[in-house]
Amino acid sequence: MENGFRGYHPYVAFLYYVFVGVLLMIYNHPLFLSTAILLLIFVNLSHDRGQELKKWALPLTIMGTIFALLNPLLVSRGSHILFYLGNRQITLEAIVFGLVMAFMVVAIIMLFISFNIILNGNKFLYIFAKLLPRIAFLVMLTMRFVPLLKERYEEIQAVQKVRGMTISHGRLRERARNGMNLIQTLLTWSLEEAIQTADSMIARGYGNKQKSSYESFVMTRRDILSLVLLSILFIINILGSLLGYGKIVIYPMLGTLQFYPIDYVLYISTIIMISFPLIVEGIEYAQWKFFN
């Protein structure tokens, strides 16, 4: 039995990711987004001590840097001109917009890293299989295909190195031939296993009757209360966003970063929503530590 946030009903976890993802896209205040990134780092740490996040650390850093630098170099809109780079003016508004976009992209990718850890396998199929069985199954196969292909590539490459065939040393013609042999072996292996998987699915009667779930998930009182809490926080944030709070005006002139009372309410509710997995893990840890 899974504990902590993993132990919640798949619908609760799915709505958490949907709600947080929407908030990351509707808020453009740097404080909201930077706080979201910080909290999502701790959320990922609570899942697997940051093992998956470490794999994405360098790509996220490069991607965020590109977004932050590219916008002021390509866009000259804005009223506050800081300096000129050649004939192009660099404005404060373009820099702020680039930073906001960088924060947003990094936060959303970090959210998806957490999503892949919590809602994989049977949980993902449980949510979508009844409504979109074929699409859900194809998505699961696609999500599994990329890491599986990478693992097979590394295995084939290790075997070829033992045989003296490498794509990193030697003449260009030999490296190209070795690379083509590697790709050919990889594709042959993948296609052969795909045929075996299809034959196995047909033999087991896939698609002949209504699909049943391998694992049954029961909605408990805890799950219902969590859904209510997340929904209330989400509605508060949506209403506040529609009123224009939690946002800053960037173009054509950078607005103020001042916080109003409603901004504080939205900020606190956003923190609670994003921190929901951390709160769950903290409560279970306290119960295990002090009441057992």
Side-chain angles (χ1 to χ4, degrees):
M1 181 178 178
E2 293 180 319
N3 297 320
F5 188 56
R6 298 174 188 264
Y8 275 68
H9 195 279
Y11 287 151
V12 177
F14 177 71
L15 286 180
Y16 164 79
Y17 290 111
V18 171
F19 289 165
V20 174
V22 171
L23 295 187
L24 292 177
M25 289 186 287
I26 64 175
Y27 288 142
N28 71 341
H29 198 290
L31 182 59
F32 278 74
L33 295 174
S34 58
T35 303
I37 291 176
L38 181 62
L39 293 175
L40 288 171
I41 291 175
F42 287 108
V43 169
N44 279 277
L45 289 174
S46 69
H47 296 334
D48 60 350
R49 298 184 179 180
Q51 295 300 318
E52 287 296 322
L53 187 60
K54 289 178 183 177
K55 299 177 183 178
W56 284 85
L58 182 59
L60 285 176
T61 302
I62 296 175
M63 191 179 305
T65 303
I66 291 174
F67 271 92
L69 295 179
L70 206 58
N71 189 73
L73 294 177
L74 298 178
V75 180
S76 298
R77 293 179 60 195
S79 303
H80 297 84
I81 301 175
L82 300 179
F83 57 91
Y84 283 88
L85 190 62
N87 295 326
R88 181 171 294 276
Q89 61 184 21
I90 305 300
T91 64
L92 177 62
E93 287 78 5
I95 293 177
V96 172
F97 187 82
L99 289 174
V100 168
M101 291 301 299
F103 287 162
M104 184 182 300
V105 171
V106 170
I108 290 175
I109 294 177
M110 291 173 63
L111 184 68
F112 271 101
I113 295 173
S114 174
F115 179 93
N116 289 331
I117 296 174
I118 300 299
L119 285 179
N120 56 3
N122 294 326
K123 292 182 179 180
F124 186 88
L125 286 176
Y126 179 84
I127 295 173
F128 296 102
K130 293 182 179 180
L131 296 176
L132 304 168
R134 296 183 182 276
I135 294 178
F137 185 72
L138 287 175
V139 170
M140 283 302 304
L141 287 180
T142 304
M143 293 172 62
R144 175 179 177 270
F145 181 74
V146 175
L148 184 62
L149 203 65
K150 180 182 178 183
E151 182 179 344
R152 288 174 179 169
Y153 173 82
E154 293 174 351
E155 291 181 12
I156 297 172
Q157 191 176 35
V159 173
Q160 285 194 344
K161 283 184 178 180
V162 174
R163 298 176 58 192
M165 301 171 62
T166 177
I167 60 175
S168 56
H169 302 288
R171 292 182 299 178
L172 180 61
R173 185 175 181 179
E174 293 179 353
R175 292 163 59 185
R177 183 170 61 249
N178 294 336
M180 291 300 296
N181 290 332
L182 190 152
I183 297 298
Q184 181 182 3
T185 305
L186 179 62
L187 293 177
T188 302
W189 187 4
S190 300
L191 290 173
E192 182 179 358
E193 184 169 307
I195 295 173
Q196 293 175 356
T197 302
D199 292 339
S200 176
M201 292 171 60
I202 293 174
R204 298 181 184 187
Y206 181 83
N208 292 336
K209 58 181 180 179
Q210 185 176 2
K211 182 186 177 298
S212 60
S213 298
Y214 174 77
E215 187 176 357
S216 179
F217 299 96
V218 180
M219 183 74 71
T220 63
R221 183 170 177 266
R222 179 189 66 173
D223 296 318
I224 296 175
L225 292 176
S226 300
L227 284 176
V228 172
L229 174 63
L230 292 174
S231 299
I232 292 174
L233 293 174
F234 182 70
I235 292 173
I236 291 174
N237 281 277
I238 291 297
L239 293 177
S241 174
L242 293 176
L243 294 175
Y245 294 95
K247 304 177 182 180
I248 60 170
V249 177
I250 300 179
Y251 293 120
M253 179 181 294
L254 184 64
T256 178
L257 296 177
Q258 180 181 354
F259 258 42
Y260 297 95
I262 298 181
D263 287 310
Y264 285 104
V265 173
L266 299 182
Y267 184 63
I268 294 173
S269 63
T270 301
I271 290 177
I272 296 174
M273 176 172 288
I274 299 177
S275 303
F276 180 74
L278 298 176
I279 297 172
V280 170
E281 298 288 348
I283 292 175
E284 289 208 359
Y285 177 79
Q287 290 175 343
W288 177 82
K289 187 75 173 178
F290 299 108
F291 298 101
N292 288 333

